C-alpha cells in the first residue's frame, strides 16, 4: 500500500505589501527564497489551490504561481525586457491582419476588432489601417513611444500579466483592451477565432478543432482571471 501524501495547511495573512501565503506560521518561499506576497487575496486563494494540486500530483507550479514567483524573483533584473517584449507585440499585432476574402468574413473581423482598436487609439493615437496580406503595417514611432510610456507606468505584477496576455493573444491591442479597457475575454476569443468558426460553418465541425478551440479559450479565461487579479482589476 502506498503511503498517503500529507498536504500541509496553507493560510493567507494580510501584509503591508499585499497578502502573504503561509504554510503553518511561515511564509511560503519563491524559488529564489523570497516570501510569496501577492496583490490580491483572491489571487492568494488561487495559488493555494495550485500548491495543493502541485503537491498532490507531484506536478510543477500552476500559472498563477509561476507568474507571481517570476515577478517577485525576477522583476528587478527583467523588467526592462518585459517592457520591450510587450511593446514589440504592437509590431506584429494580430489585430492588424485581415483575410482578403471573403468580404463578409473580413467585415466580421473588422466588427470584432473595432472595440479594441477604438480603445487602443485613445492611448496610441492614430493607428494604421489593417493589412490584407501577411505583411504587418507599421504602427509608427509615436504609437510605440506611447505604448512604452504606458508600460513603464505599470507595476511589476500588472506588467508581467500584460505581457502574458499579449503573448497569448499575439496582440498588444487586445491585451490593452481587455486588461485596461472594457473588452471581455469573450470579445478576445471572437476575434482570434473568427476565421476558424467561419470555416466551420461552411464545412462542418471538426472534433479535433473543437477540442483545440475549447482548450485555447479555457487557457485564455484562466489566464485572464489571474492577470486581472494581479493587475487589481475587476473580473470580466
Amino acid at each position: 500500500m502506498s503511503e498517503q501524501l500529507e498536504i500541509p495547511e496553507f493560510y493567507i495573512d494580510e501584509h503591508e505589501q499585499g497578502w502573504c501565503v503561509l504554510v503553518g506560521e511561515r511564509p511560503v518561499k519563491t524559488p529564489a527564497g523570497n516570501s510569496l506576497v501577492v496583490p490580491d487575496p483572491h489571487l492568494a486563494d488561487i495559488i493555494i489551490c495550485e500548491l495543493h494540486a502541485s503537491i498532490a500530483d507531484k506536478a510543477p507550479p500552476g500559472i498563477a504561481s509561476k507568474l507571481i514567483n517570476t515577478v517577485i524573483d525576477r522583476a528587478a533584473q527583467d523588467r526592462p525586457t518585459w517592457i520591450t517584449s510587450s511593446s514589440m507585440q504592437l509590431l506584429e499585432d494580430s489585430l492588424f491582419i485581415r483575410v482578403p476574402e471573403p468580404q463578409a468574413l473580413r467585415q466580421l473581423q473588422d466588427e470584432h476588432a473595432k472595440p479594441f482598436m477604438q480603445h487602443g487609439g485613445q492611448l496610441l493615437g492614430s493607428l494604421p489601417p489593417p493589412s490584407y496580406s501577411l505583411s504587418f503595417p507599421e504602427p509608427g514611432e509615436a504609437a510605440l513611444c506611447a505604448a512604452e510610456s504606458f508600460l513603464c507606468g505599470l507595476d511589476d505584477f500588472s506588467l508581467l500579466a500584460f505581457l502574458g496576455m499579449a503573448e497569448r493573444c499575439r496582440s498588444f491591442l487586445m491585451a490593452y483592451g481587455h486588461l485596461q479597457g472594457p473588452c471581455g475575454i469573450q470579445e478576445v476569443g471572437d476575434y482570434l477565432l473568427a476565421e476558424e468558426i467561419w470555416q466551420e460553418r461552411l464545412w462542418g465541425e471538426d472534433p479535433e478543432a473543437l477540442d483545440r478551440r475549447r482548450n485555447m479559450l479555457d487557457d485564455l479565461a484562466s489566464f485572464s482571471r489571474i492577470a486581472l487579479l494581479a493587475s487589481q482589476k475587476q473580473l470580466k
Side-chain angles (χ1 to χ4, degrees), residues 99-117:
V99 296
E101 297 292 342
Q103 183 179 4
L105 173 55
R106 190 170 71 241
Q107 290 173 338
L108 182 63
Q109 289 181 315
D110 287 339
E111 180 183 333
H112 289 324
K114 187 175 181 180
F116 296 101
M117 299 292 284

Side-chain angles (χ1 to χ4, degrees), residues 167-217:
E167 288 180 338
R168 280 167 169 76
C169 300
R170 306 184 306 281
S171 170
F172 177 99
L173 290 166
M174 273 192 275
Y176 182 71
H178 179 56
L179 297 180
Q180 302 289 326
C183 303
I185 197 65
Q186 182 62 51
E187 291 164 286
V188 173
D190 286 344
Y191 183 83
L192 291 176
L193 297 170
E195 184 174 3
E196 184 173 323
I197 293 173
W198 178 275
Q199 296 292 342
E200 182 181 279
R201 289 171 181 166
L202 288 178
W203 307 110
E205 293 183 348
D206 177 347
E208 289 186 8
L210 284 173
D211 285 343
R212 185 176 63 251
R213 186 162 77 232
R214 195 175 296 115
N215 291 337
M216 174 187 170
L217 290 174

Side-chain angles (χ1 to χ4, degrees), residues 35-92:
S35 296
L36 205 162
V37 180
V38 303
D40 185 278
H42 299 294
L43 186 57
D45 286 334
I46 292 174
I47 288 175
I48 287 175
C49 289
E50 290 185 352
L51 289 170
H52 282 149
S54 178
I55 294 169
D57 300 337
K58 299 181 180 179
I63 297 172
S65 301
K66 289 178 182 177
L67 186 146
I68 298 302
N69 286 337
T70 302
V71 170
I72 294 172
D73 290 348
R74 301 296 310 172
Q77 300 95 327
D78 293 349
R79 181 178 170 87
T81 301
W82 299 344
I83 291 172
T84 299
S85 297
S86 296
S87 63
M88 289 300 100
Q89 291 289 328
L90 197 56
L91 293 177
E92 295 186 353

Side-chain angles (χ1 to χ4, degrees), residues 116 119 150 158-166 173-183 223-229 231 233-234 236:
F116 296 101
H119 190 70
F150 155 73
S158 300
L159 176 59
L160 191 58
F162 187 96
L163 175 58
M165 182 58 68
L173 290 166
M174 273 192 275
Y176 182 71
H178 179 56
L179 297 180
Q180 302 289 326
C183 303
F223 189 81
S224 165
R225 175 176 172 79
I226 292 165
L228 288 166
L229 290 172
S231 305
K233 300 289 184 181
Q234 185 176 357
K236 302 175 184 181

